[in-house]
Each structure stands twice: as structure tokens, then as C-alpha cells.
Amino acid sequence: MRENETQLLVVGGGVGGVMAAVTAARRGIRVVLTEPTDWLGGVLTAQGVPPDEHVWIEQFGSTATYREYRNSVREYYRRNYPLTDDARRRPAFNPGGAKVSDLCHEPRVTLAVLESLVAPLRGSGLLQVLLEHEPLAAETDGDRITAVTVRGSRTGETTVVSADWVIDASETGELLRLAGVEYVTGAEAEVDTGEPHAAAVADPMNMQPVSVCFALDHRPEEDHTIDRPAGYDQFRAARAVDWPDGQLSLTAPHPKTRLPVRHQFWPNPDDDLASIRPDYADQRVGSMDRNLWTFRRIAARANFRPEAYPSDLTLVNWPQMDYWGGPVFDHPDADAHALAARELSRSFLYWLQTEAPRPDGGTGWPGLRLRGDVLGDTADGLAKTPYIRESRRIRAEHTIVEQELSLAVRGDEGAVTYDDSVGVGMYRIDLHPSTSGDPYIDIGCCPFELPLGALLPVRVENLLPGAKNIGTTHITNGAYRMPLMEWNIGEVTGHLIAFCVQHKATPRQVREDEDLLADFTREIEDAGIERHWPRVTGY
């Protein structure tokens, strides 16, 4: 067993964890960052999900560092990829020419950008990164966490990291469980939150589904059909509410109306990339997924010089492979559900290769090739880890409820504004079919703020959440769960800990003391963190 001592331990190397670690280290705090996989970046890399963003993202509505990240992704392509002259000149260059976001791109590019952020801090000694290390246990002293034990997955060796401060930026809020921090899972009851869409009875096991993403290209003259998955027949026969043809089909319920929609699918369309405007990322556009191939395409071959990309690359994160069979944490069968989620994704791929209807009247696309190399060379060719939409969530000083941001409730007044706002975000309140059988819940939303109170646990003094584990409900997590918000959360927690060290204060004192709060919010505004929205209308 090894021992390590630091000022700040960040558990989880997703975008929130990276930004917490980078921000604190840039301010002179010694940081240890742990990550269970061999890739930093979480949702944008190991989970393989391109960023979903709001319609104003090219102008405002994010931190300055997030805008720098987006610019760096585009510059990385311009420096290193064989782009066409037209693509190279396009200011809002979209590598995938996709319609869900105007910055759909290959996960390794985000990985490279994040590595460039941590590299100088690692070199200086301020930041130590422990990849392929997962948390095993936590030691506490009253209302403080004193140490966390992590284990290297390759060596099996354990390390006890003692720290003055801890940020839980794990994908599922794992450290909350290990340290006995008060937390919530699943759906709250309406009587407790007053939310119009809350459940009649609380159900801790009612969570958003996970999705195991995968990347594809298409080789029409070749046969890349995978072996028939063992669970294929079971998934093929299942019929959930609102799914008349089951998940292994192109018919899926519309998230807003729940009426069945027949999607189309054909690889490598000759679409006009110049006609795909940035406002296609706006969730008000109803036809943006007419061809599922282009919905989350991460490399459009027309953006690259001839023969550089014989085929597009598309990232499959569609409703057909949402796994709602059961939770993948805090459940006795969690491990089995995690494996079943991977089996569903492989079953959907097999269905695409063998049974999916083609425009020419035939069935199956055997030339669809699984591109596991694009997602980090996993054994089964799928993403390294499942896309986690819902985490454990701290019991917070302030829990954000639906009434604070719902467009139907707030209307022209806009979302509630907070004196302790430490960021902004925007996404519809988007809940996929859940593990307890709830159908889609899709609610219009106002551009919202991030209150500092939602980052403060009700009891523990030296731990902060750094990802999706903030003080939201099952309902409002549907809006606050996106990568842009996670980036903001991580960045703010890094600033907050550095501020607390400097002023010998606790986060709770910063929120409660008018002068400290004013000084802190002034600091983060100077650092480029937007705290309030201009006058814009939600959707």
C-alpha cells in the first residue's frame, strides 16, 4: 500500500473533474486527480458522446474556458487533419456535419485538448494524475473526509490519498457512498418537491437509462456482421410502453408527444454540409434526426480531402440502445445490468446489420463496421464506459426543483435568478424512459443559473460535487446533466476551494457571508464565468 498526501483530491477525470483539477492547480493548489479508465474526459471521451449544446453556444452561455475548449477542438482539426479548404475556412467548423450539435467530433480530439490542459500542470508538479484508479474506501473524521483509498486496476496496488479537500467528480457519485455523505438517488415524491412532474411516490431505483455508445463506418462491399448476441432474441421480442415495434427498430416515440415516429437510416448520404446551420443544435428543430446516420455523425467525409475518409464515422447514441432494465449502481443486480446494457447495444448493431429496412427495399447493412478503435480499442468494440445520465446526488443546501426553471411554470419571467449564482446552462428538462417504466418526460425549459447552494452538502464541510451529483432532483437533473454544465460545475469548485484556502473559510461560510460571496463571485466573473443570462427565451 502506498501513501500520498495532497491539498485537493479529485475523484473522477470526466470534464468536471479535469476542470476542477486544472482550475485549482492553476491557482497554486496541489492536486491529485484519479480516473478509473485510461482516458480523461468522461462523457465526451470514454463514454463517446458528442456535446449537446444550446442554440446560443457560439455567442454566450458558457464559461470562457469552455469556449476556449471548443475553439481548441476546431484548431486541432485545422492543424492535424486533412481538411478541405472550405472546411478549414469555416469559422463554426463542425467535423461531423451533425445535426444534434455544431461540434460533433471524434473523442480522441477532446482527449488531446484535455491532455494539453493538464500537461503543464503535471510537469510543474502541481497536478498528479492517476489513470486507471478507482476509489475503494474513504476515511472520515466527523464532518470531514480525511483520506480516500484508490486501487490501480492494472496492478491491483492500493494508494491512500490524504487530502484537505475532496471533490467527487465520479460518474455516479461513488465517493458519496463510500464517505457516508448524504445523497439521493432516483425519483423524489411530489409531496416532497412540489414538482408538477414528480412521482406520486418516491422511488430511489427509478433512474434515467444508461447507453453504451459505439462508432460505425460503412464498407458496402464488405461483410462486418458481428456474431449474433446471446440476448438478441430477448431484446428483439420486448415491447415497452410507447414502442410498438420494440427497441430493435427504426420506430421510436417522439420525446415530446410520445407518438411513434418512423426514423430513416442510410449510411453516407451526399448531404450539403454548408446547409447544416449551427441552429440545428436547437432542440426546437423537429426534423434534425430524419436520417439517424447524420444525427451524431462525428466525421463527415466531405469535410476531408478525397479518400482521407472513405466513409463517414457516426456515433450511435440513439433511443434504440437506451438500457432501462435496471440501475447500474446502488442495486443488487447493478453489475448484471451494466453487462446487459452492452448486450443491448451489440444487439441493436446486429439488427442494423441483418434486419434494418433499406431504402431499396432490402434488409440489413452488413457493411456497417464497428469502429472500436475510434473509442479506445475496447474488447467488444463499444465505448469504454456507459453513458451515465443520472448520478447519486448530494442532499444540498439548495435543491433545484422544476418550478425554478420550467418554461410552463416560469413563462416570460424566465428561470429563477440567484444571488449566489456561479454559472449558467440551458437544456430542455429531458428524461428518457426510466428504469421503473416511466415514459419520456420532455419539458420546455428557461435558460437557468447554477446556485452555489446546490454545490454544498448539508453536512460535510470539505467535499464538493464536481459532476452530475449536485443538488438537483430526478426531474431537474434532466436539464443540468449536460457536459457544458458539468464543465462549469468542475471549474467553479476548483475556484471555490482555492478561494477557501486563501481566505481560511469553508464553502458554507462563503455562501453565508455577504462580503465573502461578493469577493468570490467577482473572482469567478473575472475568470470568465457567466453568472446570469441576457434576455433570451427558453424552449
Side-chain angles (χ1 to χ4, degrees):
M1 179 183 294
R2 295 183 178 183
E3 294 186 358
N4 198 332
E5 187 174 341
T6 189
Q7 287 178 282
L8 169 62
L9 169 64
V10 180
V11 175
V15 290
V18 168
M19 284 314 299
V22 166
T23 302
R26 285 175 173 174
R27 295 189 57 163
I29 302 296
R30 288 181 295 106
V31 183
V32 171
L33 170 65
T34 71
E35 161 57 32
T37 75
D38 59 347
W39 276 15
L40 296 175
V43 62
L44 297 179
T45 59
Q47 297 173 32
V49 182
D52 281 3
E53 299 168 329
H54 56 72
V55 67
W56 305 284
I57 190 61
E58 298 288 344
Q59 291 80 40
F60 51 81
S62 75
T63 72
T65 60
Y66 187 81
R67 287 193 293 274
E68 290 170 5
Y69 152 73
R70 299 179 86 255
N71 291 336
S72 295
V73 166
R74 287 171 172 150
E75 284 305 311
Y76 190 91
Y77 273 94
R78 293 183 180 113
R79 288 195 310 269
N80 298 292
Y81 279 69
L83 302 179
T84 65
D85 291 340
D86 178 66
R88 191 178 303 278
R89 288 192 298 264
R90 205 175 301 140
F93 169 58
N94 186 350
K99 298 178 181 179
V100 73
S101 167
D102 64 339
L103 195 62
C104 276
H105 60 279
E106 295 176 49
R108 274 199 175 89
V109 177
T110 280
L111 178 63
V113 170
L114 295 181
E115 289 283 4
S116 73
L117 296 180
V118 303
L121 297 166
R122 296 176 77 170
S124 72
L126 280 169
L127 174 58
Q128 181 182 0
V129 180
L130 302 179
L131 295 175
E132 298 179 286
H133 279 71
E134 59 183 356
L136 287 184
E139 300 173 25
T140 61
D141 181 7
D143 294 336
R144 298 183 62 83
I145 298 169
T146 57
V148 175
T149 300
V150 296
R151 179 178 60 196
S153 58
R154 285 186 181 269
T155 65
E157 187 173 38
T158 59
T159 302
V160 178
V161 183
S162 301
D164 301 323
W165 297 90
V166 179
I167 291 175
D168 182 353
S170 63
E171 297 300 324
T172 60
E174 181 65 16
L175 193 56
L176 304 182
R177 179 185 69 85
L178 295 175
V181 179
E182 294 80 359
Y183 70 84
V184 179
T185 64
E188 296 88 350
E190 182 183 3
V191 68
D192 295 322
T193 67
E195 295 173 303
H197 289 85
V201 179
D203 183 357
M205 293 295 102
N206 188 17
M207 305 181 196
Q208 288 226 45
V210 301
S211 300
V212 181
C213 302
F214 53 93
L216 296 174
D217 66 8
H218 186 237
R219 302 290 178 128
E221 305 304 321
E222 301 171 6
D223 187 345
H224 292 279
T225 306
I226 64 172
D227 293 338
R228 186 185 182 95
Y232 181 75
D233 290 339
Q234 178 182 350
F235 288 120
R236 186 73 180 86
R239 295 293 182 270
V241 174
D242 296 336
W243 292 78
D245 298 331
Q247 280 185 274
L248 305 191
S249 72
L250 295 179
T251 300
H254 191 289
K256 300 177 181 64
T257 67
R258 292 177 50 192
L259 297 175
V261 175
R262 175 80 172 185
H263 299 287
Q264 300 180 52
F265 176 81
W266 67 94
N268 293 323
D270 292 322
D271 49 343
D272 178 10
L273 300 184
S275 70
I276 300 175
R277 308 181 308 277
D279 63 357
Y280 268 59
D282 182 351
Q283 296 166 71
R284 290 171 291 191
V285 179
S287 62
M288 62 184 179
D289 58 350
R290 188 171 63 91
N291 179 5
L292 288 171
W293 179 269
T294 60
F295 187 43
R296 282 190 169 90
R297 183 173 52 185
I298 55 176
R301 67 197 190 286
N303 274 325
F304 304 90
R305 292 176 187 165
E307 305 308 319
Y309 279 69
S311 169
D312 296 343
L313 296 176
T314 195
L315 193 286
V316 180
N317 175 24
W318 309 334
Q320 286 86 347
M321 22 78 71
D322 284 357
Y323 178 80
W324 54 67
V328 296
F329 60 87
D330 280 6
H331 188 280
D333 297 322
D335 292 343
H337 287 308
L339 291 173
R342 303 191 81 85
E343 185 79 348
L344 172 58
S345 291
R346 289 184 63 81
S347 293
F348 181 55
L349 169 59
Y350 182 79
W351 180 85
L352 286 172
Q353 292 173 323
T354 60
E355 295 192 58
R358 299 195 309 260
D360 64 5
T363 56
W365 303 86
L368 292 174
R369 181 172 63 155
L370 194 60
R371 292 295 303 273
D373 55 319
V374 171
L375 298 179
D377 297 309
T378 56
D380 60 5
L382 309 178
K384 292 176 180 290
T385 59
Y387 172 30
I388 304 291
R389 292 182 175 87
E390 186 172 348
S391 171
R392 300 176 179 92
R393 308 181 297 279
I394 62 167
R395 290 196 180 274
E397 289 283 310
H398 178 99
T399 299
I400 304 161
V401 294
E402 180 184 347
Q403 304 91 294
E404 296 174 54
L405 60 153
S406 164
L407 185 60
V409 174
R410 298 292 302 174
D412 292 340
E413 293 297 315
V416 171
T417 60
Y418 310 101
D419 291 337
D420 66 342
S421 173
V422 291
V424 296
M426 174 60 199
Y427 203 72
R428 287 179 65 88
I429 300 175
D430 172 30
L431 284 79
H432 291 223
S434 72
T435 55
S436 290
D438 288 346
Y440 274 107
I441 299 175
D442 192 287
I443 306 165
C445 192
C446 303
F448 52 79
E449 298 176 359
L450 173 67
L452 179 58
L455 306 182
L456 305 185
V458 292
R459 178 182 59 84
V460 178
E461 295 291 346
N462 69 332
L463 174 138
L464 293 172
K468 292 183 284 289
N469 51 347
I470 66 172
T472 56
T473 65
H474 174 66
I475 300 294
T476 56
N477 167 74
Y480 278 80
R481 65 183 173 84
M482 305 312 294
L484 180 150
M485 194 79 258
E486 187 177 336
W487 184 290
N488 192 150
I489 291 164
E491 187 173 351
V492 164
T493 56
H495 279 298
L496 181 57
I497 286 172
F499 182 89
C500 287
V501 170
Q502 178 184 355
H503 291 270
K504 296 181 173 58
T506 66
R508 212 176 316 279
Q509 289 170 338
V510 172
R511 182 174 183 242
E512 293 173 350
D513 186 289
E514 186 176 323
D515 292 334
L516 282 175
L517 181 61
D519 288 344
F520 177 64
T521 53
R522 189 179 307 112
E523 276 194 12
I524 62 175
E525 284 178 338
D526 290 343
I529 294 177
E530 298 178 22
R531 298 179 55 236
H532 305 291
W533 282 92
R535 185 65 178 174
V536 289
T537 302
Y539 50 85

